[in-house]
Amino acid sequence: MAMIIGHSESRNPTFGCNQVVIVRDQDTKHTLPVFLKQALCLTVYEAKGLEFDDVILYNFFDSSPAGNKWRILKDITMTTETRRKIKINEELTINELDSKQFDQKMKKLQKQAEDQEEDKTEEYTKLHVDQRNEILRDFSILCNELKHLYVSVTRPKVRLLIYDQDGKNRQAITQYWQD
């Protein structure tokens, strides 16, 4: 940490204008240790759209309203699959949006696609979720948390340091990143 934030004669670290501490909310700002209180400290919302050389993400997981719901990440797996790519040169009319006419139109278009000589494929990523019912209950909270995490981890240009007083809520995302 000394390499990131520098030294001073008073043994307190010095922070520059390109270094920031990002916290979840205003309440967490008041819980910063003494040596971080002199640093520029922003909430995730305040930091959105800004970039810094060095970012310390402080107690993000510890103060997360998702708590232990981060474990859901262990139940999500990704696979790469291939699908057929077809080119369709027709547009749907307003009448074809009716479910019966739509089904007929789709069957016609699929038949045309099968007749195409060019057989192009593309790869895509598909997510698979175990224990779907339990996950769906907790997913909305985690979805919001992942958005905040994305904003936080995309602020640094050079270094990101993540610190949590209690690392148990962070374990799932750490494992996810390592895999």
Side-chain angles (χ1 to χ4, degrees):
M1 189 182 236
M3 186 174 89
I4 294 173
I5 55 181
H7 297 285
S8 72
E9 293 177 14
S10 64
R11 298 188 55 106
N12 286 330
T14 56
F15 291 86
C17 62
N18 285 319
Q19 296 165 324
V20 68
V21 176
I22 296 179
V23 296
R24 167 175 304 291
D25 52 34
Q26 293 292 337
D27 293 337
T28 309
K29 281 185 178 182
H30 302 297
T31 66
L32 286 175
V34 174
F35 73 94
L36 290 178
K37 288 194 186 242
Q38 63 193 15
L40 173 62
C41 183
L42 302 174
T43 63
V44 174
Y45 181 76
E46 293 167 339
K48 191 171 183 174
L50 302 175
E51 284 187 331
F52 301 92
D53 287 342
D54 305 313
V55 172
I56 299 172
L57 184 57
Y58 182 78
N59 272 356
F60 181 85
F61 298 96
D62 192 47
S63 61
S64 172
N68 67 354
K69 290 176 177 60
W70 288 95
R71 68 183 169 13
I72 293 171
L73 294 174
K74 295 177 184 176
D75 298 324
I76 299 173
T77 56
M78 292 188 301
T79 58
T80 302
E81 297 186 7
T82 304
R83 62 181 164 204
R84 194 164 168 226
K85 187 176 181 179
I86 59 173
K87 184 176 182 180
I88 299 174
N89 294 323
E90 294 186 39
E91 293 181 14
L92 292 175
T93 64
I94 192 75
N95 294 333
E96 291 169 332
L97 294 178
D98 172 48
S99 62
K100 185 175 181 181
Q101 290 183 9
F102 181 79
D103 288 340
Q104 291 172 352
K105 181 71 169 193
M106 297 295 9
K107 287 178 184 176
K108 177 184 170 191
L109 293 174
Q110 286 175 342
K111 176 70 174 135
Q112 288 176 357
E114 289 172 4
D115 294 341
Q116 288 180 3
E117 292 179 18
E118 294 181 32
D119 196 22
K120 295 182 180 178
T121 60
E122 64 181 357
E123 288 188 350
Y124 68 101
T125 302
K126 188 172 183 178
L127 296 178
H128 303 278
V129 181
D130 296 334
Q131 303 170 5
R132 188 170 182 83
N133 291 337
E134 179 187 338
I135 288 175
L136 290 178
R137 271 193 306 263
D138 299 334
F139 189 69
S140 62
I141 294 170
L142 186 60
C143 193
N144 196 37
E145 290 298 290
L146 286 169
K147 290 175 189 175
H148 288 307
L149 181 61
Y150 172 80
V151 170
S152 300
V153 301
T154 56
R155 299 308 94 205
K157 292 188 273 184
V158 180
R159 283 179 286 259
L160 171 67
L161 176 67
I162 300 175
Y163 174 79
D164 276 284
Q165 289 176 324
D166 183 4
K168 68 181 175 188
N169 290 343
R170 189 185 66 231
Q171 286 176 345
I173 194 76
T174 301
Q175 186 64 44
Y176 186 79
W177 284 335
Q178 289 174 348
D179 290 344

